[in-house]
Amino acid sequence: MAVTQRHRISIVGTDIEFPCPETMSVLHGMAQLGRKGIPLGCRSGGCGVCKIEVVSGEYERAKMSRAHVSVEDEAEDRVLACCIRPKSALEIRVIGQINRAFPEQTKTKDDGAAIPPA
Amino acid sequence: MALTGITRPAHAQIRVLDMDKAVHHYGTILGLIETGRDAEGRVYFKAWDERDLFCLVLRQADTAGIDHFAFRVLDVATLDQFEIDLEKFGVPVQRIPAGELLGTGERVRFTAPTGHVFDLFAEKEHLVDPERLLNPSPWTNEAERGIAPVRMDHALLYGPDLEGNLELFTKVLGFRLSEAAYLEDGTTMAVMFLSCSNKCHDIAFGRFPEPGKLHHISYRIESWEKVLRAGDIMGMNHVPIDIGPTRHGITRGCTIYAWDPSGNRFETFSGSYDPYPDWQPIRWTIDDLGRGLDYPQQKLHETFLTVVT
């Protein structure tokens, strides 16, 4: 049986890193290990909450909603973590903009995201 | 009770990023029946126990989300009256010609204050096997293919102006409030559930900063056991599940929230209850919204508040 290649994903500016199989999206790789760092959304390219910038490394991409990833974004490696599979170790930065329902009542300090303070 | 005016939620047209994946999801995994394709490439589906030609239209696009949600009204005279009533209320309407959607008559289109496009129509072809109308069996092979909901049941849509929608839906369109969750002040609605029948919800809205957003489209399953079966089928097919299987406190529905291959959330649900027009609406407080959303886990899931298309 072929051994699945795994690559190290690290989130810059944090101490978060996890291994991700080549066959899985970066987001799925994180979630299935129970790890946090990238906000979890629809996992299918539609909602945009898991937007990241790939700072270094090679990856394959699937279709993403243009409402969240423009042509320029894609050209500059701003993509959705649910739609890329690693081909090498990746360094990423979380850049997703998240809108919340009734934020004043539900906002907490720790919403599971690794977004550095603005 | 008599069903007049708007008789039911009828269909949703949604955008998908990859038509082949979407058709596999809705046709094979959810187990809806494909009933047509049109010149624009849109694909139509119905649930096995529905009479109308379709309850779901998929349109290939480069974004996900909902194009419009439609209700069937009793007859053409009712449709004409709704057009007059909407205009009187100050809501601009547009007539969409018959045949723009397969087998469907003229639609009266308006945009609700939350930014969602709604269509009303009186005529859509029925697609029913004649065997289903004479000494029929209680179910068919299609009732066990895939998840196989009996019908498209309701939708939850997110947008900013809930007060505007409450006015429009209760004063013009004949809906009534069955349940609502309120923010800390006790008067501002966070989420509201509206009925045009004696179902607990035919349409629901949640307060959100962006207009026109889709939270989920819901499909009715016959039992809690079949909701668990739906969960197994999602697992077998790697369908990403958001919440459940569990039970909502609000509406008492037994539920799974999950996402289609474009990130549009859908629900498979059973249970709930049957309120009547004279019933007082049920209130939920923001402090107990966790149980409102997920009663046994008592948890206000982050994705309920943030993930929409």
Side-chain angles (χ1 to χ4, degrees):
Chain A
M1 199 171 89
V3 176
T4 304
Q5 188 73 37
R6 287 176 162 73
H7 299 293
R8 193 182 67 251
I9 313 297
S10 37
I11 305 182
V12 298
T14 75
D15 56 5
I16 300 169
E17 56 174 55
F18 55 89
C20 180
E22 279 195 343
T23 51
M24 269 182 206
S25 75
V26 167
L27 192 72
H28 188 187
M30 179 194 79
Q32 58 101 23
L33 291 171
R35 302 296 300 277
K36 289 183 176 177
I38 310 168
L40 276 168
C42 73
R43 308 166 201 214
S44 305
C47 80
V49 307
C50 68
K51 195 170 180 180
I52 58 171
E53 181 182 351
V54 180
V55 180
S56 71
E58 301 300 313
Y59 59 91
E60 282 180 341
R61 65 189 77 181
K63 239 180 197 173
M64 299 169 249
S65 167
R66 280 279 175 251
H68 303 290
V69 179
S70 66
V71 175
E72 299 76 53
D73 279 339
E74 271 201 73
E76 292 169 20
D77 296 308
R78 291 187 294 269
V79 291
L80 302 181
C82 68
C83 292
I84 65 161
R85 291 189 302 269
K87 302 301 288 179
S88 74
L90 297 181
E91 286 185 302
I92 64 170
R93 181 178 289 130
V94 176
I95 58 171
Q97 294 294 313
I98 299 176
N99 275 325
R100 294 178 69 86
F102 32 100
E104 59 282 7
Q105 271 81 13
T106 58
K107 185 78 184 153
T108 58
K109 279 181 190 160
D110 174 24
D111 63 1
I115 303 173
Chain B
M1 68 190 281
L3 272 178
T4 57
I6 290 176
T7 64
R8 59 176 174 275
H11 68 255
Q13 178 173 310
I14 63 171
R15 298 185 294 277
V16 299
L17 301 174
D18 181 317
M19 186 58 84
D20 290 343
K21 283 185 187 172
V23 166
H24 176 72
H25 174 82
Y26 286 101
T28 304
I29 301 172
L30 189 55
L32 300 180
I33 300 161
E34 186 181 324
T35 57
R37 296 191 179 216
D38 66 22
E40 288 179 48
R42 292 179 295 187
V43 183
Y44 296 63
F45 291 92
K46 75 189 280 280
W48 74 269
D49 205 24
E50 288 176 320
R51 303 283 176 93
D52 285 357
L53 181 63
F54 59 89
C55 67
L56 177 70
V57 183
L58 304 178
R59 181 173 73 83
Q60 170 98 42
D62 65 4
T63 62
I66 188 163
D67 284 337
H68 73 265
F69 192 82
F71 296 103
R72 185 165 185 141
V73 307
L74 189 63
D75 52 25
V76 171
T78 306
L79 184 67
D80 294 342
Q81 189 61 49
F82 273 126
E83 183 176 38
I84 293 165
D85 295 346
L86 282 162
E87 283 184 327
K88 257 196 222 160
F89 201 70
V91 178
V93 298
Q94 183 193 353
R95 284 261 175 177
I96 308 294
E100 195 278 331
L101 283 168
L102 294 181
T104 307
E106 267 194 306
R107 283 129 68 203
V108 169
R109 170 167 291 185
F110 62 94
T111 302
T114 50
H116 298 93
V117 175
F118 287 96
D119 285 357
L120 307 178
F121 68 88
E123 295 170 325
K124 186 192 281 183
E125 282 174 23
H126 278 186
L127 180 63
V128 189
D129 185 338
E131 285 183 15
R132 305 295 307 147
L133 301 177
L134 180 67
N135 307 326
S137 58
W139 49 273
T140 67
N141 288 339
E142 290 289 355
E144 299 218 312
R145 189 181 61 79
I147 292 171
V150 290
R151 65 167 183 253
M152 192 276 288
D153 189 83
H154 65 271
L156 171 57
L157 306 173
Y158 273 16
D161 186 2
L162 260 58
E163 292 71 23
N165 273 34
L166 183 64
E167 281 246 318
L168 177 62
F169 277 77
T170 56
K171 292 189 174 159
V172 182
L173 300 172
F175 285 72
R176 63 182 195 282
L177 190 66
S178 55
E179 300 200 20
Y182 293 84
L183 299 181
E184 269 173 343
D185 63 10
T187 55
T188 309
M189 283 182 176
V191 194
M192 64 183 190
F193 298 81
L194 296 164
S195 175
C196 66
S197 60
N198 73 334
K199 288 157 57 192
C200 196
H201 44 1
D202 288 299
I203 191 78
F205 298 99
R207 186 179 299 279
F208 196 73
E210 273 179 282
K213 292 293 174 183
L214 171 63
H215 186 278
H216 72 262
I217 293 168
S218 185
Y219 298 89
R220 176 107 184 136
I221 307 284
E222 288 171 293
S223 69
W224 168 234
E225 214 164 8
K226 285 190 174 174
V227 174
L228 297 179
R229 175 179 170 276
D232 291 339
I233 291 171
M234 291 180 203
M236 289 174 202
N237 290 281
H238 302 282
V239 173
I241 287 183
D242 179 17
I243 299 175
T246 186
R247 185 208 279 274
H248 295 308
I250 303 176
T251 75
R252 298 189 217 156
C254 299
T255 178
I256 302 172
Y257 282 163
W259 288 288
D260 81 3
S262 305
N264 296 307
R265 194 188 275 97
F266 68 101
E267 176 182 43
T268 53
F269 95 107
S270 70
S272 191
Y273 64 99
D274 309 322
Y276 287 91
D278 54 303
W279 288 22
Q280 189 180 335
I282 288 173
R283 294 174 61 91
W284 292 82
T285 61
I286 190 75
D287 299 331
D288 219 358
L289 194 54
R291 290 198 299 176
L293 175 63
D294 186 336
Y295 203 85
Q297 288 206 71
Q298 307 165 47
K299 187 178 163 190
L300 186 50
H301 297 256
E302 175 73 6
T303 49
F304 183 75
L305 304 169
T306 58
V307 177
V308 292
T309 55

